[in-house]
Amino acid sequence: MKAATALGISQSRGISNTLQNTFGVDVVSLQGGDSYEDSSLVGGKHLSPDLFISYAQNLFTPAGSVQLDYTLSKNLGLKAQSGKA
């Protein structure tokens, strides 16, 4: 089982890197929730060193959300989200 999990993780890195390069984003990840129906595909990009924008698309419903993260200082930031994925 551990070998199968390790193989899946190693292959997902390649897929993730391909998606990042194809779409010009910094982050591509799967985000889980309380149940499998809450799973989302997330893509995001740093617009500046302090500003990060991401989009999360639910894998099972048409719901999606946009999120902005802005770093004000080392210990303080702002987060805004539209919708729920």
Side-chain angles (χ1 to χ4, degrees):
M1 182 68 176
K2 289 181 182 179
T5 302
L7 180 62
I9 290 170
S10 68
Q11 289 179 347
S12 70
R13 286 188 193 125
I15 293 168
S16 188
N17 288 339
T18 300
L19 290 171
Q20 287 173 340
N21 293 334
T22 301
F23 295 107
V25 294
D26 299 325
V27 174
V28 173
S29 65
L30 288 175
Q31 188 175 54
D34 293 334
S35 74
Y36 74 93
E37 294 172 334
D38 296 329
S39 299
S40 298
L41 178 65
V42 180
K45 184 160 183 74
H46 285 93
L47 301 178
S48 74
D50 297 329
L51 182 61
F52 181 75
I53 186 169
S54 62
Y55 179 76
Q57 176 61 54
N58 186 289
L59 298 176
F60 299 97
T61 67
S65 69
V66 174
Q67 184 169 311
L68 290 170
D69 293 299
Y70 186 68
T71 304
L72 296 169
S73 69
K74 182 179 176 182
N75 298 315
L76 183 62
L78 295 174
K79 185 177 284 194
Q81 182 175 342
S82 171
K84 182 182 177 200

